[in-house]
Amino acid sequence: TGLANRNYQPDTNVPEPKKLNTTEEKPVEKASEMYENQTYRSGEEWNDFLKEKYGNEKIAWETKDANTFAKTIKDVEARIIPEAYERNVLNSFAGGKATPVTYEGGRGIVLYRVGRNLGPYWSMDVPPATEYQWRVDCAIKQEFFNDGSKLYKITIPQGASLSGIEGKVGSQGMGLYGGSHQVYIDHRAIPEDWIETSKMLWK
C-alpha cells in the first residue's frame, strides 16, 4: 500500500466548483406591487384593477343576488295532517277554513315565525313591533308556552317551492282576535339553508 500511495497522482482535470456570485442583485419589488392585493377595493374597483393588469379579455364581471348562491333546491310538499289532529289544525284558522297553496321560489316571498322553537305555523306578515300586538294578531295565549324570543325567516330559492294550507288566524277569545295571515307547512322538511334565525327584539 505504501508504493500505491507514493505513486498516486491527483487528477488535475477535475473542474473547480463554480462559485456563487454573491454580488448579483435580485430585482426588488416595488412596495405598490408587493401590497397591491392587500389594498381595500370595492368589487367594481377590483374589476377595473384586474382588467388593467391582466387585460379586458381575461376578466369577466358578474353580479349575483343572495338567492343565487348555493341553496338546496327542492319542492317541499304540504304536511300530511294526522286525522286525530286535523280538526285542531283547521280550528286555528278563522272559520275553520284553509286553502291549499304553493309558493314558488325567486318571487321575494318570505315566511316569518316568532317563537322559541321551529314549528308548522308561519306567516307572510312581518311581525309587529310589540309582543302584545303579536299575541293579539296571531292569537297566541300565554299558556301556549311561546315566549316569542326568536324570529325565524324562510326564503325559498329560485327553482324550489313550498306547499301548505293557508288562511287567516282564528280568534282565541279574551282579546286575542287573530286575523293575520297564517300558513301551515311541513317545517321538518324545510332545508336548513332556507332558514335564518335571529333574536326577536320587541319594543
Side-chain angles (χ1 to χ4, degrees):
T1 58
L3 289 174
N5 288 336
R6 284 195 297 270
N7 294 330
Y8 171 75
Q9 297 294 328
D11 186 358
T12 58
N13 294 324
V14 177
E16 293 185 6
K18 184 178 180 181
K19 295 182 180 180
L20 296 177
N21 184 2
T22 56
T23 61
E24 184 178 352
E25 295 184 357
K26 295 182 179 180
V28 178
E29 293 182 277
K30 295 180 181 179
S32 59
E33 295 175 348
M34 293 172 62
Y35 300 106
E36 63 184 13
N37 290 335
Q38 300 179 26
T39 304
Y40 175 80
R41 295 179 175 90
S42 67
E44 188 172 352
E45 288 170 339
W46 270 113
N47 179 51
D48 294 339
F49 168 76
L50 293 172
K51 282 185 175 180
E52 182 178 350
K53 184 170 184 178
Y54 298 109
N56 289 338
E57 69 282 357
K58 295 183 179 180
I59 303 298
W61 173 256
E62 294 183 6
T63 58
K64 298 182 179 180
D65 60 38
N67 288 331
T68 305
F69 294 98
K71 286 190 177 183
T72 304
I73 305 300
K74 67 179 292 189
D75 295 319
V76 179
E77 301 294 335
R79 183 173 183 175
I80 299 176
I81 308 171
E83 187 175 350
Y85 297 99
E86 184 175 359
R87 182 42 52 190
N88 288 338
V89 172
L90 291 177
N91 283 343
S92 70
F93 291 91
K97 297 179 180 179
T99 56
V101 64
T102 296
Y103 304 122
E104 300 290 341
R107 298 188 177 184
I109 295 175
V110 178
L111 298 180
Y112 302 90
R113 174 180 170 83
V114 176
R116 61 179 178 179
N117 297 310
L118 291 171
Y121 295 98
W122 294 71
S123 177
M124 287 196 299
D125 294 341
V126 177
T130 65
E131 181 180 354
Y132 169 78
Q133 195 61 50
W134 164 67
R135 291 189 180 277
V136 170
D137 295 346
C138 297
I140 305 295
K141 294 181 178 180
Q142 292 288 349
E143 55 263 39
F144 287 173
F145 301 105
N146 188 338
D147 61 5
S149 59
K150 294 179 182 178
L151 174 63
Y152 300 95
K153 296 180 184 179
I154 290 178
T155 303
I156 310 166
Q158 189 165 359
S161 67
L162 172 59
S163 297
I165 56 174
E166 70 173 356
K168 297 292 184 181
V169 177
S171 173
Q172 292 288 339
M174 298 185 298
L176 303 178
Y177 303 115
S180 65
H181 174 267
Q182 177 174 273
V183 59
Y184 182 85
I185 62 173
D186 187 356
H187 67 285
R188 300 164 301 182
I190 302 296
E192 291 184 2
D193 54 14
W194 291 16
I195 303 174
E196 177 186 346
T197 306
S198 61
K199 183 178 180 180
M200 189 63 201
L201 301 175
W202 301 110
K203 288 187 177 179

